[in-house]
Amino acid sequence: MFLMLCCLWQPSLYAQEETKVSLSEVISTLQIRFGKTFNYLETNIEDVTLLAPHTDLSLEEALNYIASETGFTFKFLPNDFIVIQGPKEIILCGFLKNAVSLAPLAGGFVSSDSGSAITDAAGYFQIKVKSEKEKLSFKFLGYETLVVEVITISKKNCDDFNMQLVAETLSPVILSSYLVSGIDQMQDRSFAIDFSKFNTLPGLIETDVLQTVQAFPGIQSSNETVSNINIRGGTHDQNLILWDDIKMYQSGHFFGLISAFNPQITQKISLVKNGSRASYSNGVSGTIAMRTNDKLTKDTNGSLGANLTDVNGFLDTRIGRRSSLQIAVRKSINDWIKTPTYTTYFDRISQDTEVATNEEDVVNTDRQFDFYDTSLRWLSHLSERDKLRINFILVDNSLVFNENAELNEVPASKESSISQTSIAGGILYERAWSKNVSTTLQVYNTDYKLKAINANLLASQRFLQDNSVSETGASLITKSKYGNRIMGELGYQFTETKVTNLDDVDVPIFRSKISEVVRTHSLFSQWDLHSADDKTFVSAGVRYNFLDKFSKHIVEPRIAISYKLTPDVAIHAAGEMKHQVTSQVVNFQNDFLGIEKRRWQLSNDTTIPVIRSEQVSLGLSFEDNGWLIDTDGYLKKVKGITAQSQGFLNQYEFVKTDGSYEVLGVDVLFRKRLNKTSIWLSYGFMDNTYTFQSLPEKGFPSNLDITHTVSFGGAYTYKQFKVSGGLNWKTGNPSTAPVFGNEVVDETINYGPSNSVRLKEYLRADVSVLYQFKLGNSRLQMGASVWNVMNANNEVSNYYRVGETGQAQEFVQNSLGLTTNAMVRFFF
């Protein structure tokens, strides 16, 4: 046992703690130290690197260390000569098989740094390699490439190597590594993010889904939260957010500061800003579709991690021959320790709310905050043609505190609280009728609840508020493929959405409970076509919707076109029409303790219209020799919005009316990729204007009219080390100021023209560092990040109230200041 441990730890005992050097450098050093002459072929060792041996080792110890690290052997000759002989060849064998049926794959290509082989009728192969440090690559038409490290392969037995079928798609990558590796743009102008290939972005050490999408031009958060993502000038409630095809109504933990979706189980994202597929409903601004891994794992693997806000774990394990289970859990750590990061986050969410500052004679104590989530995905390949998937997700945030005061000189205390919870599940069954035809049936249910209890000690009053959404959906989709250039999709979808709002006061007794239900039946068809010369790609679809409550028929065409003018230059066009029946509104700024003021509501097709959108875009892209230039101009019109859904903090704060907004904008990206470095500069222009016919001002700038946005960043990778940094600047958010010199009239703020002034310009710099190294067959990853390095005091919103002196008093909400985070994760 002692000898085994010595062998395992040999590099750390015999090597210096520094970066790797070439073997030729090590040999030259040994020649000088020991007066020996080494004979070898330069071509044999020119690409070999290792950690330099300690200088206090004897010659024999140093050579033994080099031999263990490289596989080379050393032969001593007279006259102080030493011959370096190449490593002995290792002969490996195995069987290449289908991962589901375990059927042999004949004619597969197996390669290493030393040679290659072809599998026979039984899937058998034999191949020679020179070192355990090499990797075997397995390729087979229609299957995903499999790469395996030689050190993990048995040298005595013939292992099985199981390959996964490639998911068929006619929307291939057109712009790879759009910002960094792992982010690609597809021919239909959607973006595909694969976190298994992901680099790192400035300020992030976790693969936070909703922070990542904000790196794209045209996407931002006006108040720097993941619960308020604005895609091309739209509000957050106008985004369709899916987790394995289940619609989610809650997107954030910490009431919006971090994503509610566990990054360890969320494998891929599809991001759509325009030209969405006909199978997508709702989301008039954009679509963020998250997916777990849709492949069966070969062996059990997982991770355990911690950062300065939470601890988390992930497990992916095979269950029998045909199924695997993934489980991810996460919980905040403030029950055990309150880190500076937690404190910064808590101060941010409670800023200017009843949690931070209560009435003058009331003191808040015993503030307790907690969040956790659990995600599960079970996948079973019932047969070569049948697949079953079951998903479950639970997300919870809760905040509790005591309000204390003296009533008639007697101490009194009552508890106030707020909780935000989502629970959802889905079942998907897929049947492949043939190589070219498949059918998918899915059923899901998602429930969301926001609940707050506000204890007003001075008024001896309890105010209960509850906002809940319950949605059930079912879909049946058949896909067909005609050769390699045409793919069709035909489907039906049913959705039933119920929204309930409750306001309950005990003194004086008041209770209002309103429940609304809308059922939608939809038929849709989508066709993807490639031209014979591969220059033209067209994805066209149409969706028909029937809203039974309103007897309303809505037809929505969708299209995305790409044409290659040259091998390096392409022109793109997209258009879509969409609708949605849900929206979030703010009735009062102190609703739900002022923490999460927005509540979901359903359209009634009168005072709350069905929201409708139209969008067209035209763009040009160029990619050559690591350079990428991508531009996209767009015009977007959205009608049926309500004033309450826009979150006005001026003279229209309590106005109930409906209107529209129109956005004219341009998204531009410049990126240069050089070896292991990626540098980008993005720019966004937007002219976002409201139209409310019943307001005194018919048209004025939108609350989300952020005219100019600039982002500059870079990412560098060296072996297992990743570092990134970036700078974000944008025009200040629109604001409404009181009339100068006549700020208060009749004890009311006398506002000037709506959104006619701006807050201070926004500027933020971020950095992040990640490093990982192997621990036997496992690995350890560590990282650190700094958000807002310059500790800039960025304003995200403001409003005015009449103060005690009768003067206008301004209240300003600021974004996060300098915020550090660190993480460690063990992969097994």
Side-chain angles (χ1 to χ4, degrees):
M1 177 63 74
F2 177 75
L3 181 60
M4 184 181 297
L5 290 174
C6 288
C7 291
L8 289 172
W9 288 99
Q10 191 180 46
S12 62
L13 291 176
Y14 294 105
Q16 300 182 53
E17 297 298 327
E18 54 185 42
T19 57
K20 290 185 176 182
V21 297
S22 66
L23 178 56
S24 61
E25 290 182 46
V26 174
I27 296 302
S28 297
T29 301
L30 295 179
Q31 286 185 141
I32 296 172
R33 283 185 57 203
F34 297 102
K36 304 293 183 180
T37 300
F38 288 82
N39 285 344
Y40 56 89
L41 288 175
E42 184 67 33
T43 55
N44 282 352
I45 71 169
E46 60 184 358
D47 295 323
V48 180
T49 60
L50 73 163
L51 295 174
H54 281 300
T55 56
D56 56 354
L57 295 181
S58 66
L59 176 61
E60 185 177 354
E61 289 172 332
L63 295 181
N64 286 338
Y65 163 69
I66 295 172
S68 67
E69 287 295 292
T70 65
F72 285 96
T73 58
F74 300 88
K75 184 176 182 180
F76 287 81
L77 299 177
N79 301 320
D80 293 330
F81 280 91
I82 300 176
V83 176
I84 302 178
Q85 297 176 328
K88 295 181 180 179
E89 289 184 328
I90 303 170
I91 300 177
L92 300 174
C93 63
F95 295 89
L96 195 60
K97 297 182 178 181
N98 178 297
V100 178
S101 65
L102 301 181
L105 298 178
F109 183 70
V110 187
S111 63
S112 69
D113 295 339
S114 309
S116 61
I118 303 295
T119 60
D120 64 15
Y124 176 80
F125 69 91
Q126 190 177 87
I127 190 171
K128 296 178 180 180
V129 297
K130 293 181 179 179
S131 168
E132 288 192 338
K133 296 184 179 294
E134 292 188 40
K135 295 180 180 180
L136 288 191
S137 175
F138 300 85
K139 295 182 180 180
F140 194 89
L141 184 63
Y143 287 75
E144 292 187 349
T145 299
L146 177 66
V147 178
V148 181
E149 295 181 350
V150 170
I151 194 172
T152 65
I153 301 173
S154 172
K155 311 305 182 294
K156 298 180 180 179
N157 303 311
C158 295
D159 290 345
D160 289 343
F161 298 90
N162 301 325
M163 300 187 71
Q164 300 278 0
L165 281 166
V166 173
E168 293 292 340
T169 176
L170 284 182
S171 183
V173 172
I174 189 171
L175 298 175
S176 61
S177 300
Y178 191 78
L179 291 175
V180 295
S181 60
I183 301 178
D184 301 320
Q185 187 175 68
M186 317 304 286
Q187 278 193 321
D188 62 4
R189 298 297 279 172
S190 66
F191 294 92
I193 305 173
D194 187 343
F195 286 123
S196 67
K197 304 174 183 177
F198 199 62
N199 197 316
T200 183
L201 288 173
L204 302 181
I205 50 175
E206 301 279 7
T207 51
D208 189 297
V209 175
L210 300 181
Q211 291 284 7
T212 299
V213 299
Q214 294 180 48
F216 292 86
I219 303 178
Q220 56 199 308
S221 173
S222 62
N223 67 351
E224 207 183 69
T225 66
V226 299
S227 59
N228 189 27
I229 294 176
N230 315 121
I231 299 180
R232 290 184 168 175
T235 52
H236 184 73
D237 58 337
Q238 293 171 3
N239 300 326
L240 173 62
I241 298 178
L242 301 172
W243 185 76
D244 265 351
D245 300 311
I246 301 171
K247 185 175 180 181
M248 302 299 298
Y249 285 88
Q250 178 181 350
S251 60
H253 272 316
F254 240 121
F255 297 104
L257 292 183
I258 58 177
S259 171
F261 307 101
N262 195 310
Q264 304 310 311
I265 198 173
T266 304
Q267 183 72 38
K268 297 181 180 180
I269 306 172
S270 176
L271 171 65
V272 185
K273 295 191 284 186
N274 187 21
S276 57
R277 301 187 68 81
S279 57
Y280 288 143
S281 65
N282 293 297
V284 297
S285 278
T287 300
I288 303 171
M290 296 164 280
R291 295 192 180 278
T292 58
N293 194 334
D294 59 355
K295 302 294 187 295
L296 296 178
T297 184
K298 181 180 178 182
D299 301 303
T300 297
N301 63 85
S303 66
L304 295 172
N307 55 48
L308 297 184
T309 60
D310 62 78
V311 292
N312 51 79
F314 171 71
L315 179 68
D316 188 3
T317 184
R318 190 76 173 237
I319 301 177
R321 289 177 53 192
R322 296 183 178 273
S323 72
S324 67
L325 177 68
Q326 288 187 340
I327 300 176
V329 294
R330 179 169 51 162
K331 189 185 184 308
S332 58
I333 62 174
N334 52 283
D335 286 346
W336 309 293
I337 181 173
K338 288 183 171 58
T339 65
T341 306
Y342 165 81
T343 302
T344 302
Y345 279 10
F346 188 89
D347 291 344
R348 170 67 177 86
I349 65 169
S350 61
Q351 187 181 155
D352 196 28
T353 68
E354 189 172 325
V355 178
T357 306
N358 213 314
E359 299 179 73
E360 184 176 349
D361 297 325
V362 179
V363 177
N364 296 339
T365 60
D366 303 319
R367 297 185 301 184
Q368 299 178 12
F369 174 76
D370 181 49
F371 73 80
Y372 62 87
D373 60 65
T374 301
S375 308
L376 178 148
R377 186 236 62 188
W378 178 68
L379 180 65
S380 176
H381 288 185
L382 304 175
S383 70
E384 284 191 64
R385 295 180 178 270
D386 301 275
K387 181 190 298 184
L388 181 66
R389 187 187 72 201
I390 296 177
N391 294 92
F392 172 81
I393 185 171
L394 170 64
V395 179
D396 184 83
N397 290 260
S398 62
L399 171 62
V400 180
F401 64 96
N402 290 327
E403 301 189 21
N404 308 276
E406 286 195 1
L407 302 178
N408 299 322
E409 300 183 353
V410 177
S413 179
K414 283 190 175 182
E415 184 179 271
S416 291
S417 64
I418 180 173
S419 62
Q420 187 180 35
T421 305
S422 290
I423 183 170
I427 300 176
L428 180 144
Y429 169 73
E430 182 178 344
R431 168 70 175 177
W433 304 103
S434 67
K435 180 180 178 181
N436 297 320
V437 181
S438 65
T439 298
T440 301
L441 172 66
Q442 185 192 25
V443 179
Y444 75 85
N445 186 82
T446 181
D447 289 309
Y448 166 83
K449 179 183 282 290
L450 176 64
K451 180 180 178 180
I453 298 176
N454 189 346
N456 189 330
L457 272 176
L458 301 183
S460 299
Q461 183 186 76
R462 186 269 300 144
F463 185 21
L464 168 65
Q465 293 182 294
D466 191 308
N467 173 230
S468 61
V469 181
S470 182
E471 180 172 293
T472 300
S475 63
L476 182 67
I477 303 174
T478 295
K479 296 180 181 180
S480 53
K481 187 179 177 184
Y482 305 88
N484 293 320
R485 302 194 179 279
I486 301 175
M487 179 181 286
E489 185 175 288
L490 180 66
Y492 164 78
Q493 186 176 43
F494 167 77
T495 307
E496 180 185 83
T497 306
K498 178 180 180 180
V499 177
T500 302
N501 279 289
L502 170 67
D503 292 292
D504 187 308
V505 181
D506 61 350
V507 180
I509 296 176
F510 172 81
R511 181 180 175 85
S512 172
K513 184 176 182 180
I514 301 174
S515 293
E516 300 281 354
V517 178
V518 172
R519 298 178 183 89
T520 304
H521 301 267
S522 303
L523 292 172
F524 55 88
S525 179
Q526 185 86 28
W527 290 89
D528 297 344
L529 303 98
H530 273 284
S531 64
D533 58 5
D534 283 330
K535 288 184 176 181
T536 305
F537 172 80
V538 178
S539 179
V542 63
R543 184 181 181 93
Y544 163 76
N545 307 278
F546 175 68
L547 282 59
D548 64 354
K549 185 174 183 179
F550 315 127
S551 297
K552 199 177 192 73
H553 304 267
I554 300 175
V555 178
E556 300 168 335
R558 321 276 176 85
I559 191 167
I561 303 173
S562 176
Y563 177 73
K564 287 186 177 181
L565 300 173
T566 72
D568 304 321
V569 180
I571 188 170
H572 316 276
E576 67 177 20
M577 296 176 65
K578 300 182 76 174
H579 83 284
Q580 66 181 65
V581 296
T582 55
S583 60
Q584 285 185 303
V585 297
V586 177
N587 288 336
F588 301 97
Q589 292 301 315
N590 60 352
D591 277 353
F592 299 95
L593 301 175
I595 295 288
E596 175 54 88
K597 295 168 281 194
R598 297 166 301 173
R599 63 172 77 199
W600 288 99
Q601 68 175 10
L602 270 176
S603 299
N604 57 22
D605 207 32
T606 53
T607 58
I608 308 173
V610 175
I611 301 175
R612 306 281 294 273
S613 72
E614 301 172 354
Q615 184 179 183
V616 293
S617 61
L618 181 65
L620 189 72
S621 63
F622 166 81
E623 185 178 32
D624 182 50
N625 195 29
W627 283 101
L628 167 65
I629 302 174
D630 186 41
T631 64
D632 208 25
Y634 60 91
L635 175 63
K636 175 177 165 184
K637 298 180 180 180
V638 179
K639 61 181 181 180
I641 63 171
T642 63
Q644 287 178 297
S645 69
Q646 300 305 296
F648 286 113
L649 292 171
N650 53 20
Q651 60 266 48
Y652 304 133
E653 182 175 351
F654 304 111
V655 173
K656 295 185 178 181
T657 188
D658 64 271
S660 63
Y661 70 86
E662 181 175 307
V663 188
L664 179 65
V666 177
D667 298 334
V668 182
L669 175 75
F670 299 89
R671 188 224 62 204
K672 172 62 177 175
R673 191 171 67 246
L674 182 64
N675 295 328
K676 299 178 182 292
T677 303
S678 183
I679 301 172
W680 65 89
L681 174 67
S682 69
Y683 169 73
F685 167 80
M686 178 192 304
D687 181 12
N688 192 347
T689 305
Y690 284 135
T691 299
F692 288 96
Q693 294 296 336
S694 62
L695 296 181
E697 303 169 272
K698 296 292 188 294
F700 54 93
S702 163
N703 294 340
L704 301 175
D705 180 39
I706 302 174
T707 311
H708 303 286
T709 306
V710 177
S711 177
F712 174 72
Y716 172 73
T717 301
Y718 178 73
K719 296 183 179 179
Q720 304 303 316
F721 176 78
K722 299 177 181 180
V723 60
S724 65
L727 190 68
N728 298 276
W729 174 90
K730 63 182 179 181
T731 307
N733 290 344
S735 179
T736 307
V739 175
F740 182 74
N742 193 24
E743 291 86 356
V744 179
V745 175
D746 296 330
E747 299 182 351
T748 302
I749 300 294
N750 180 30
Y751 285 102
S754 185
N755 289 342
S756 59
V757 298
R758 298 272 176 176
L759 299 180
K760 296 177 183 178
E761 295 178 351
Y762 179 100
L763 181 65
R764 191 189 80 235
D766 312 311
V767 296
S768 58
V769 179
L770 287 174
Y771 179 75
Q772 68 177 10
F773 54 90
K774 289 187 176 181
L775 293 174
N777 291 329
S778 304
R779 58 191 172 97
L780 189 69
Q781 184 182 62
M782 297 181 293
S785 67
V786 182
W787 183 276
N788 195 0
V789 174
M790 299 179 293
N791 197 28
N793 188 28
N794 292 313
E795 299 176 350
V796 294
S797 70
N798 74 330
Y799 64 93
Y800 295 86
R801 294 290 184 264
V802 178
E804 295 181 358
T805 61
Q807 302 297 313
Q809 184 177 355
E810 182 183 15
F811 295 84
V812 178
Q813 188 177 63
N814 297 307
S815 65
L816 283 171
L818 188 149
T819 306
T820 58
N821 202 356
M823 60 82 72
V824 59
R825 175 161 288 104
F826 174 70
F827 294 89
F828 56 87

